[in-house]
Amino acid sequence: MEIVLSKILLQIRHQEDKLSSQMMRTSEEAYQMTLFLKEMLCSIKTKISQTGFTDGQQEIYFFKNIKPQILGKLIYYNKVFRIETTCPVSKGKIHQSYFENLLKTLKSEYKESICNEDFYRYYRADRTDRDHTYFRLGQINYHDGLTSGVFEIDISFSTYYDNKIAHIVANELLYSYILTKINPEENPDNILLNGEAKKDISWTNSQNALIELIYALYASNSISHGKIGIRKLALIFQVLFRTPLNDIHHSFHRMKTRAGSRTAFLDQLKLSLEEYMDKDL
């Protein structure tokens, strides 16, 4: 299932890169991504309804990891489309105020409906002890006092909590997007120089590989003598490669405890460089 997730994320990034290279407006790009992700989700839903899951662990992995990534980006791009098509002006103080108010609203929603929930703390702690309750179909407990959104989901394709993770993913992407609007110097159209700005530059390895590289540069104080925080450094790479990284702290926590080498990508970089050097001998 991890291989399946990697393929899905690669398909999404490929479509993002494809649309980005066409230099269309942000609103149109967001609209096209919304259609693409909606179709992807519908296709996966049809396949699962026909074949089901091989076991409980596969079901849990799907609703905890795969579906939320697709649905999260779908929610995100739909919100970006709505934001872009209702923005009153393209620049100036009103434009700045518009996005600053959006950021305030996003932070308020986060405090009121996300961060204080037990499930949010469960998810952020990378716990697995209640996965069988949160991420298997037919396990919804209405005595938990769930929000009314529980009555709007398709119970044959949602455990309710997969939707909650999707909204966490969407909000994190939206946060990065709004910051690039508030700070023009961090906008994808301005971070690169002149004619290079619209070239198809993308990260073609895994998200974990990029996060590993970012943390290595941060830990070694290799950029601005370590004066740039990890969040801003991650944002720079996201903008540069047009690759949302979701929750890098959560991913880094998993790297610290993963089996095998904890620096798998950096190890491979060293081998690749040495092999390249040997070609000139």
Side-chain angles (χ1 to χ4, degrees), residues 209-254:
L210 182 54
I211 292 172
E212 190 175 316
L213 177 61
I214 291 170
Y215 267 93
L217 293 171
Y218 173 73
S220 62
N221 296 329
S222 297
I223 298 179
S224 297
H225 304 289
K227 294 180 180 179
I228 296 180
I230 189 66
R231 182 178 290 278
K232 186 172 183 179
L233 189 59
L235 179 60
I236 291 172
F237 277 80
Q238 289 180 76
V239 171
L240 177 62
F241 294 120
R242 303 180 70 89
T243 303
L245 292 176
N246 305 326
D247 184 1
I248 65 168
H249 299 291
H250 183 70
S251 298
F252 182 65
H253 174 75
R254 288 186 295 180

Side-chain angles (χ1 to χ4, degrees), residues 123-220:
Y123 176 67
R124 282 290 183 242
D126 203 24
R127 288 168 53 188
T128 60
D129 52 289
R130 296 198 65 189
D131 281 1
H132 64 285
T133 299
Y134 288 141
F135 304 111
R136 295 202 66 181
L137 295 172
Q139 300 296 314
I140 297 174
N141 184 357
Y142 297 98
H143 283 104
D144 288 340
L146 308 177
T147 64
S148 58
V150 71
F151 303 111
E152 300 172 2
I153 64 172
D154 180 355
I155 59 174
S156 68
F157 191 59
S158 177
T159 69
Y160 175 69
Y161 291 97
D162 58 288
N163 282 32
K164 295 184 81 64
I165 293 180
H167 278 88
I168 292 172
V169 170
N171 280 1
E172 289 172 349
L173 293 172
L174 199 60
Y175 177 76
S176 296
Y177 157 74
I178 293 175
L179 283 183
T180 65
K181 290 292 186 176
I182 293 175
N183 303 299
E185 68 275 7
E186 294 177 344
N187 190 287
D189 292 337
N190 298 326
I191 194 168
L192 300 178
L193 301 175
N194 303 321
E196 296 297 313
K198 294 298 183 180
K199 284 192 175 181
D200 188 11
I201 300 176
S202 61
W203 180 260
T204 54
N205 211 307
S206 68
Q207 276 194 4
N208 279 345
L210 182 54
I211 292 172
E212 190 175 316
L213 177 61
I214 291 170
Y215 267 93
L217 293 171
Y218 173 73
S220 62

Side-chain angles (χ1 to χ4, degrees), residues 107-121:
K107 289 180 177 179
S108 177
E109 291 175 352
Y110 164 77
K111 290 179 180 178
E112 292 175 5
S113 60
I114 296 180
C115 71
N116 291 325
E117 291 190 351
D118 290 337
F119 175 75
Y120 182 79
R121 291 190 288 271

Side-chain angles (χ1 to χ4, degrees), residues 72-105:
K73 282 209 167 187
L74 176 56
I75 294 170
Y76 162 70
Y77 278 112
N78 184 55
K79 286 187 176 182
V80 170
F81 174 75
R82 292 170 58 188
I83 289 170
E84 290 286 339
T85 53
T86 55
C87 186
V89 292
S90 59
K91 57 184 178 180
K93 292 184 178 179
I94 295 178
H95 179 272
Q96 183 82 2
S97 177
Y98 175 76
F99 282 97
E100 286 177 349
N101 287 333
L102 284 174
L103 185 60
K104 290 179 182 177
T105 300

Side-chain angles (χ1 to χ4, degrees), residues 256-268:
K256 292 195 295 184
T257 57
R258 66 187 177 188
S261 174
R262 296 191 297 175
T263 57
F265 177 62
L266 297 179
D267 294 343
Q268 183 57 51

Side-chain angles (χ1 to χ4, degrees), residues 4-14 16 69 73 207 246:
V4 173
L5 177 59
S6 297
K7 288 183 178 179
I8 288 174
L9 293 177
L10 188 61
Q11 289 175 357
I12 294 174
R13 285 199 295 272
H14 176 74
E16 289 171 333
Q69 291 299 322
K73 282 209 167 187
Q207 276 194 4
N246 305 326

